[in-house]
């Protein structure tokens, strides 16, 4: 059952990634789920002129504002691409219970690729699931970067 839910939320994250693509942003999308509340977002670094406006940060800020708390215990974060070290830090600070991501990021991934950020002795470590819709995520990223070169 969890796999079906993971896939359906990842589809929403992929829709967000497609929206980012259309806006000229690196196509990464995210969905954050807490107590039945769902927020969605995508990379907004270029349009917001904010280097911290990664998809994960966008949805963490939105959810924190909606629930009135920076601690998002019990929440699940779905993101199309493996989070970077900045986003791993935000996930820890927000106390997100579960992280599900699509494709690894060999250059900047800080969960299992370039660095294992949750193993740095931090005070919180979410459950991690990877590889959900990995092929679709890779195809989208490959297409985006091939057109930019």
């Amino acid at each position: 059952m969890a796999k079906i839910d993971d896939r359906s939320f990842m589809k929403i994250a992929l829709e967000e990634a497609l929206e980012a693509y259309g806006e000229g942003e690196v196509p990464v999308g995210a969905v954050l789920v807490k107590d039945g509340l769902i927020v969605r977002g995508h990379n907004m670094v270029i349009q917001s002129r904010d280097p911290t406006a990664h998809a994960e940060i966008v949805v963490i800020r939105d959810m924190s504002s909606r629930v009135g708390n920076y601690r998002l215990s019990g929440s699940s974060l779905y993101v199309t691409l493996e989070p970077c070290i900045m986003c791993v830090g935000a996930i820890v600070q927000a106390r997100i219970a579960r992280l599900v991501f699509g494709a690894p990021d060999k250059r900047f991934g800080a969960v299992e690729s370039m660095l294992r950020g949750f193993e740095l002795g931090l005070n919180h470590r979410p459950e991690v699931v990877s590889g959900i819709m990995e092929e679709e995520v890779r195809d989208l990223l490959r297409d985006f970067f091939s057109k930019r070169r």
Side-chain angles (χ1 to χ4, degrees):
M1 181 74 172
K3 287 267 184 209
I4 294 168
D5 291 337
D6 288 350
R7 190 166 171 82
S8 59
F9 285 121
M10 190 59 73
K11 283 181 181 179
I12 297 169
L14 195 54
E15 289 172 8
E16 285 293 323
L18 284 165
E19 193 168 326
Y21 184 112
E23 295 170 359
E25 299 276 358
V26 174
V28 178
V31 175
L32 187 54
V33 180
K34 179 171 174 46
D35 301 329
L37 183 60
I38 300 168
V39 297
R40 47 192 293 170
H42 56 272
N43 275 4
M44 299 179 70
V45 173
I46 296 167
Q47 62 187 311
S48 67
R49 295 174 192 86
D50 178 358
T52 69
H54 290 195
E56 301 93 323
I57 305 294
V58 169
V59 295
I60 289 169
R61 286 176 177 161
D62 187 1
M63 183 66 80
S64 295
S65 177
R66 289 175 190 236
V67 301
N69 194 338
Y70 71 99
R71 294 282 167 93
L72 302 174
S73 302
S75 63
S76 295
L77 174 63
Y78 298 84
V79 62
T80 55
L81 187 63
E82 178 181 2
C84 70
I85 191 65
M86 174 184 69
C87 293
V88 163
I91 290 164
V92 169
Q93 293 299 318
R95 303 298 191 270
I96 291 171
R98 192 161 182 266
L99 168 67
V100 180
F101 69 88
D105 184 348
K106 302 286 186 217
R107 291 182 63 208
F108 300 107
V111 176
E112 59 186 36
S113 294
M114 182 198 77
L115 177 70
R116 295 188 177 275
F118 295 125
E119 295 176 15
L120 296 174
L122 302 171
N123 61 346
H124 176 73
R125 186 185 222 174
E127 173 191 347
V128 175
V129 176
S130 62
I132 305 296
M133 299 185 68
E134 181 175 346
E135 189 174 326
E136 294 91 329
V137 172
R138 282 182 197 250
D139 289 347
L140 179 62
L141 287 162
R142 192 177 356 255
D143 183 65
F144 176 80
F145 286 112
S146 72
K147 289 180 178 173
R148 297 194 62 128
R149 293 186 179 119

